[in-house]
């Protein structure tokens, strides 16, 4: 899966799911706390405010003097001020006068103005209500800030914790593209760390197995050369005839296979290339034209006058010949001609070989370039191949620093796309 597909599938991402769970938890918590404040704490607070109003009015009605008022104020944590015809007094400083209140100064949520007997007025304040309101508001703020902090911390932690998963995804993608030296960092000690370590070990084992397989192929090919030479000499001693001809054909086929296998090995890691700067257009045109007369025909297409690249001309020629041989082999005579197209983009050259044949089963596309891989063994045997052609093409293209992929076309046919860097 490419990075773009991974991003596009955000709704399937574990990160987004975990973040959504966290946000849902945080939002439910906010609702819970807000509900607690709105339906429990709020009504209780307004009930106590109501009680205070009632009590303040009753107290004013009873017309307490300074001594009684001071005693009540101390006991109930109240502030009382009196203004009347006999003068004014207060149990503690801090309350506004009636004139100040009329002028709009010193208004407080906990201040009750109540008429007393004999034309006096009492100003009674209950600072606890004010303190309770302040504490209530601060608590709400604190809760919001805490919630935001928790969400931010959880987001950052999640992002950090899921980073190994992204690295693992990249590693798997690189492995599936054939890179056998991928190492995923496994710094954490959690499950992701263990997974990354297991993945690295798996990649090591796979590359060891592939290396062992390649080495075995190479050793067997080397070992077979001497007996084959001996067989060729012995064949010369046999009387001429059908039998000798059949054995000679088999020996020649084995020799060709061994030569290809040794060539495959020589091409590994860019060995066996003789690069030079040259124009690819005439080279590709010449190879394509040599297939013009073979059914279903071949056509060369390009808009470029010349495409300069540093390549091994003989090897590129061999790749195109191989692809065209296959296209011819698997096409029928009434199919459209094979098209070879080349184009040059920024720093990259793309060569496409498109045929109108039966195409390649989707399940085989990934393994097509493996040595000895054939889609339909009986069909390929009849058509003379043994599954080495495409793996040699791949080695040649990779030795040039490029890549080759196969894809099916709609409604039918297959396209092999080669990408070569302009300079190595
Ligand atoms: P072979 O020598 O058997 O052709 P290759 O490595 O060249 O081996 O190809 C591997 C397999 O890929 C073939 O057996 C064939 O089934 C399939 N193949 C290659 N090219 C084409 C094509 N143009 N159309 C359909 N199948 C193809």
């Amino acid at each position: 899966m490419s990075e773009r597909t991974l991003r596009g599938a955000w709704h399937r991402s574990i990160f987004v799911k975990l973040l959504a769970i966290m946000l849902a938890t945080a939002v439910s918590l906010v609702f819970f706390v807000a509900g607690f404040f709105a339906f429990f704490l709020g009504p209780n607070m307004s009930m106590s405010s109501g009680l205070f109003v009632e009590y303040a009015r009753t107290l004013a009605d009873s017309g307490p003097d300074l001594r009684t008022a001071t005693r009540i104020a101390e006991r109930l944590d109240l502030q009382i001020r009196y203004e009347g015809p006999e003068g004014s007094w207060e149990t503690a400083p801090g309350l506004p006068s009636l004139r100040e209140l009329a002028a709009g100064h010193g208004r407080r949520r906990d201040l009750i103005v109540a008429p007393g007997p004999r034309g006096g007025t009492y100003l009674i304040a209950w600072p606890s209500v004010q303190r309770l309101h302040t504490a209530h508001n601060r608590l709400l703020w604190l809760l919001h800030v805490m919630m935001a902090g928790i969400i931010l911390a959880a987001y950052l932690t999640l992002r950090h914790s899921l980073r190994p998963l992204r690295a693992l995804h990249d590693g798997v993608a690189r492995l599936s593209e054939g890179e056998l030296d991928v190492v995923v960092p496994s710094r954490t000690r959690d499950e992701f760390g263990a997974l990354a370590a297991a993945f690295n070990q798996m990649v090591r084992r796979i590359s060891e197995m592939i290396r062992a397989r390649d080495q075995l192929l190479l050793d067997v090919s080397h070992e077979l050369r001497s007996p084959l030479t001996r067989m060729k000499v012995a064949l010369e001693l046999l009387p001429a005839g059908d039998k000798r001809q059949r054995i000679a054909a088999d020996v020649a086929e084995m020799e060709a296979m061994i030569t290809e296998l040794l060539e495959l090995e020589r091409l590994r890691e860019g060995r066996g290339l003789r690069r030079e700067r040259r124009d690819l257009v005439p080279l590709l045109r010449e190879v394509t034209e040599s297939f013009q007369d073979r059914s279903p025909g071949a056509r060369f297409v390009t808009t470029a006058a010349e495409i300069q690249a540093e390549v091994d001309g003989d090897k590129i020629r061999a790749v195109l010949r191989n692809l065209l041989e296959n296209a011819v082999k698997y096409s029928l005579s009434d199919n459209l001609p094979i098209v070879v197209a080349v184009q040059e983009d920024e720093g990259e050259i793309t060569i496409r070989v498109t045929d109108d044949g039966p195409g390649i089963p989707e399940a085989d596309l990934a393994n097509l370039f493996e040595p000895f891989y054939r889609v339909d063994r009986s069909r390929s045997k009849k058509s003379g191949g043994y599954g080495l052609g495409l793996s040699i093409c791949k080695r040649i293209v990779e030795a040039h620093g490029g890549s080759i992929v196969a894809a099916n076309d709609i409604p039918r046919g297959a396209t092999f796309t080669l990408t070569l860097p302009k300079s190595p």
Side-chain angles (χ1 to χ4, degrees):
M1 208 186 342
S2 72
E3 184 73 6
R4 247 176 70 209
T5 348
L6 189 75
R7 291 236 168 93
W10 61 270
H11 56 288
R12 277 180 264 141
S13 137
I14 290 188
F15 177 72
V16 174
K17 277 182 192 155
L18 288 176
L19 203 66
I21 291 174
M22 230 177 51
L23 281 177
T25 315
V27 169
S28 335
L29 256 168
V30 168
F31 273 118
F32 176 74
V33 172
F36 179 75
F37 273 87
F39 299 112
F40 181 73
L41 220 54
N44 273 327
M45 272 169 63
S46 38
M47 201 168 84
S48 38
S49 298
L51 270 174
F52 164 62
V53 173
E54 280 303 310
Y55 177 71
R57 287 203 179 123
T58 316
L59 184 66
D61 266 349
S62 69
D65 58 5
L66 176 60
R67 216 160 57 93
T68 320
T70 309
R71 197 165 37 82
I72 293 172
E74 270 174 14
R75 199 153 40 90
L76 298 180
D77 185 26
L78 297 178
Q79 281 177 298
I80 304 170
R81 179 183 168 83
Y82 174 77
E83 288 183 29
E86 313 94 85
S88 60
W89 49 257
E90 56 189 0
T91 55
L95 285 184
S97 66
L98 279 174
R99 194 178 308 146
E100 280 173 329
L101 268 185
H105 301 302
R107 281 182 194 281
R108 280 166 54 170
R109 178 195 289 269
D110 63 330
L111 185 65
I112 299 296
V113 180
R118 299 178 300 279
T121 305
Y122 285 90
L123 283 88
I124 305 171
W126 191 23
S128 303
V129 171
Q130 185 68 25
R131 282 201 293 272
L132 212 65
H133 269 283
T134 316
H136 173 261
N137 287 344
R138 281 198 189 138
L139 195 67
L140 261 180
W141 267 109
L142 194 72
L143 268 169
H144 281 106
V145 171
M146 261 175 63
M147 215 70 90
I150 290 171
I151 290 173
L152 185 72
Y155 170 80
L156 293 176
T157 317
L158 260 182
R159 231 175 60 149
H160 184 262
S161 315
L162 291 182
R163 203 178 294 159
L165 200 62
R166 205 164 268 276
L168 208 62
H169 168 263
D170 292 344
V172 172
R174 281 167 58 198
L175 179 70
S176 68
E177 270 161 27
E179 259 185 70
L180 288 174
D181 51 358
V182 269
V183 178
V184 172
S186 68
R187 284 182 222 109
T188 52
R189 285 167 183 237
D190 53 13
E191 289 88 339
F192 286 136
L195 197 62
F199 174 79
N200 287 339
Q201 198 182 353
M202 180 190 81
V203 174
R204 262 197 310 277
R205 289 274 303 128
I206 291 176
S207 52
E208 272 166 22
M209 278 160 65
I210 290 180
R211 237 161 256 146
R213 181 203 67 178
D214 289 349
Q215 192 58 43
L216 182 74
L217 271 180
L218 187 67
D219 293 346
V220 171
S221 316
H222 269 299
E223 293 304 317
L224 281 177
R225 276 209 312 196
S226 320
L228 262 181
T229 317
R230 283 201 297 276
M231 273 170 85
K232 266 162 66 181
V233 174
L235 259 176
E236 295 302 320
L237 302 177
L238 278 180
D242 247 16
K243 219 177 200 167
R244 177 175 145 179
Q245 225 170 352
R246 275 205 309 276
I247 298 176
D250 282 347
V251 169
E253 192 180 319
M254 276 173 83
E255 216 174 8
M257 192 192 292
I258 284 165
T259 312
E260 284 188 15
L261 275 172
L262 293 174
E263 171 76 355
L264 202 62
E265 199 44 44
R266 236 161 47 84
L267 283 165
R268 187 188 289 285
E269 286 151 19
R271 282 183 284 141
L273 280 194
R274 270 184 286 123
R275 289 169 184 269
E276 54 183 1
R277 197 165 176 75
R278 59 181 308 147
D279 185 2
L280 279 178
V281 173
L283 183 148
L284 300 174
R285 176 174 285 126
E286 177 210 302
V287 179
T288 312
E289 280 171 0
S290 69
F291 280 80
Q292 237 166 15
D293 300 331
R294 292 176 60 185
S295 160
R299 217 151 48 83
F300 181 66
V301 182
T302 189
T303 50
E306 61 162 26
I307 297 178
Q308 292 291 340
E310 212 151 305
V311 292
D312 182 329
D314 289 342
K315 294 279 188 297
I316 295 295
R317 213 177 262 127
V319 171
L320 185 58
R321 215 175 279 132
N322 218 316
L323 295 179
L324 282 166
E325 277 294 350
N326 276 348
V328 164
K329 219 184 319 183
Y330 299 107
S331 291
L332 297 173
S333 52
D334 59 346
N335 284 154
L336 294 174
I338 301 151
V339 178
V340 176
V342 59
Q343 74 184 62
E344 185 183 14
D345 298 313
E346 294 225 338
E348 224 174 51
I349 298 158
T350 310
I351 305 166
R352 285 196 181 83
V353 180
T354 305
D355 65 51
D356 187 37
I360 298 144
E362 289 295 324
D364 296 297
L365 278 174
N367 300 315
L368 215 57
F369 297 93
E370 290 298 314
F372 294 113
Y373 193 85
R374 284 170 293 167
V375 171
D376 177 347
R377 278 161 193 267
S378 56
R379 187 180 74 176
S380 296
K381 196 69 219 162
K382 258 186 272 154
S383 44
Y386 30 76
L388 277 174
L390 286 180
S391 49
I392 291 183
C393 290
K394 186 170 190 247
R395 283 273 165 89
I396 293 176
V397 176
E398 283 179 351
H400 279 87
S403 62
I404 179 167
V405 287
N408 283 315
D409 297 325
I410 295 167
R412 61 179 183 177
T415 294
F416 286 80
T417 308
L418 264 99
T419 314
L420 292 173
K422 283 205 71 184
S423 43

